[in-house]
Amino acid sequence: MIAQPVQPVADVPDLIAATANSIPGQVNALLRARTFAEPLLAGETLSTGEGTLAHADAVAAILQGIGGSETMQAAVYLVYASLHLNKPLEVLTKAFGPHFASLAVETVKLMRVQQQSRNAERLVAQAQNPGLQTETVRKMLLGFSRDVRVVLLRLASRLQTLRWYAASKQTIAPAMAHEALHVFAPLANRLGIWQIKWEIEDLAFRFLEPQTYREIAKLLDEKRAEREVYLEQLRHKLEAQLRAASISASVQGRPKHIYSIIKKMRGKRLSFDQLFDLRALRVVVPTVKDCYTTLSWVHQHFKPIESEFDDYIARPKPNGYQSLHTVVRDENGKAIEIQIRSQAMHDHAENGVAAHWAYKEAGTKGYAGVSATGQYDAKIAVLRQLLAWGKDLSEDPAHKGLFDDRIYVLTPDAAVIELPEGATPVDFAYSVHTDLGHRCRGARVDGNMVPLNAALKSGQTVEIITVKEGRPSRDWLNSDLGYLHSNRAKAKVRAWFNAQATHETVARGRESVEKLLQREGKTALKLDDLALQLGFKSADALFEVVGKDEYSLRNIETLLRPAESAAPDTDPQLLVRKPRTNQGSKGGVLVVGVDSLLTQLAKCCRPAPPDPIAGFVTRGKGVSVHRTDCTNFRQMAACNHERVIDVAWGASNASADSKAAVYPVDVAVQASDRQGLLRDISEVFAREKTNVIGVQTQSLKNVAWMTFTVEVSDAVRLAKVLALVAGVPGVRSARRR
């Protein structure tokens, strides 16, 4: 629950100082944290209506009851206190250290995700359709994985919220009860924290199906006294007999949980009277050997029901649970369920990972049945249980498809990385860091070398082998080779190659400009100033167009020689003459009043008849012909208007035996990316007898961007072809560049 909004505390430094002064020399983290939080939380309530400070006290008590450390209990108060701080990470780090601060901040992030989910407009639908909770559960999983202590804080908090609703007889939101039963209880089960799991299940079920809950509770109460007397007699007898056999055993009656009774009745289609385990005992002994000795004694003195025997010591449950389960009949034929386990198994069964939460103390006990030789192995074991929890949810018919399109793998530092289904080690590397992806040359998965295009699976630990300086391979962009699956990784690789191409173009342009400045004796001129004078935003922008041969160095020469008059043969006054015939003109372009003058079509705008055109006189390369709407032409004309010259398209002089003039034109196509898209568009050009001389493609977030260079005789014909291209399935737009 998130507290009702309040104004952030302004005098935080004073509050820290007051806390320190009120507890001189205090090293007790729990007392310090509560003292810090109390003035902030006193008098305020959560969105449920429960008092915030009372809620924090109760959560800390729950953590203490399941073996949570004092540090964990202290963190509860800092979580709620951080909601009132302007800079919680900074303040809590200064007052309590980085570990407390990060734990509090991560927990608050997760609380807000859950709050937003419950406040969604589809609240009722969400309670009935868990598939709508996909994004929330994913965020929960990632939040838990960043700091696994957050799991205990959220489980304990949710349990206290359910207790408060039950005690206050308030109406709980169906979405909250559903989330508790179908998300939090399975999570507690996966981590082996049965003490919390059973209580969450019973309370949530009580809110979701109150009538059924009351019926089962009534049936349990009807013969409770008779059942308890019988079990107490049996408990004394069994304990005495084991003691006589030199086995120090503790025998207790096992409490029955209403939700587990309901599940068994529904799952096996049994009536209440057909249940075997309404009379149940639990035997806790010192060692594993004692477990089997006790089992032997029980089977000798009672008649076992063989189909109801389970050895979870030899075959532990996936969450690490270990115990012997047997059902026997006494001399009256009554069925009795008996569980036999060691003290260590019992501790884990009750509190799971909370029983030995501090990683450094894990030793060889491990977590959830996984041997842990140190801090890293213990944390990996817990994280894998979290990932298994996500898998459990996706396999549950009620949550089917929840994680079908995602996998979760671990870094060597035990951080969880979310990837799309089918992702490879290269995808993983780019997800961790772009530079790691560029330098990736090999990978180990769970310690074994694998190919870079191997598909990863949830729960695996991935280690990337790198070189000191590296670059991506072009093979990675080949979809048939299967190196990249995530759109993020593909975009990073394409961006690298695009940046390299731009870098090479800029370097080529810089070299040309610097050589010109050396020839002109202007090496002291600042390049950025030169670019601004020529109408460019930066020197690199100038170098790029020069490197692409889209901007003539003559423009720079003209700027550097302002006193130099225009050459006689390029004076606009000499060019304005009565137009002559256009026979002999180059490229189908007639320079007004001049025959046989060298012309070239600009590559930046690629003009074609009947586009409005204009000429720009260059030095040594004749007249460069641009479209009048060309950005480069406008920049050059603004700086050197005297070099602008009128030009026109010449009349076609193609004979019957010769081909008409054709012009290269760039066409930009945007479409939804799909298989066969390039083929379908190319077929349109071929069918319309439009020659394609170049093509560039790029795909980003399932959108394909294509640039075709085609040869056309006139722009009018091209417009008709583009209309046909726009009709290809998936094409969003087709236009001339």
Side-chain angles (χ1 to χ4, degrees), residues 316-332:
K317 289 185 177 181
N319 55 18
Y321 174 83
Q322 290 182 297
S323 186
L324 296 174
H325 289 196
T326 187
V327 178
V328 297
R329 293 189 186 276
D330 64 6
E331 59 272 13
N332 298 319

Side-chain angles (χ1 to χ4, degrees), residues 154-195:
R154 296 308 300 139
L155 284 173
S157 178
R158 179 51 55 90
L159 174 56
Q160 170 53 26
T161 297
L162 294 174
R163 285 179 177 178
W164 182 83
Y165 273 111
S168 63
K169 295 182 170 52
Q170 299 282 337
T171 301
I172 189 173
M176 180 178 290
H178 189 281
E179 185 184 54
L181 183 61
H182 294 284
V183 177
F184 281 97
L187 173 59
N189 178 63
R190 255 297 167 183
L191 296 177
I193 313 175
W194 277 270
Q195 189 172 334

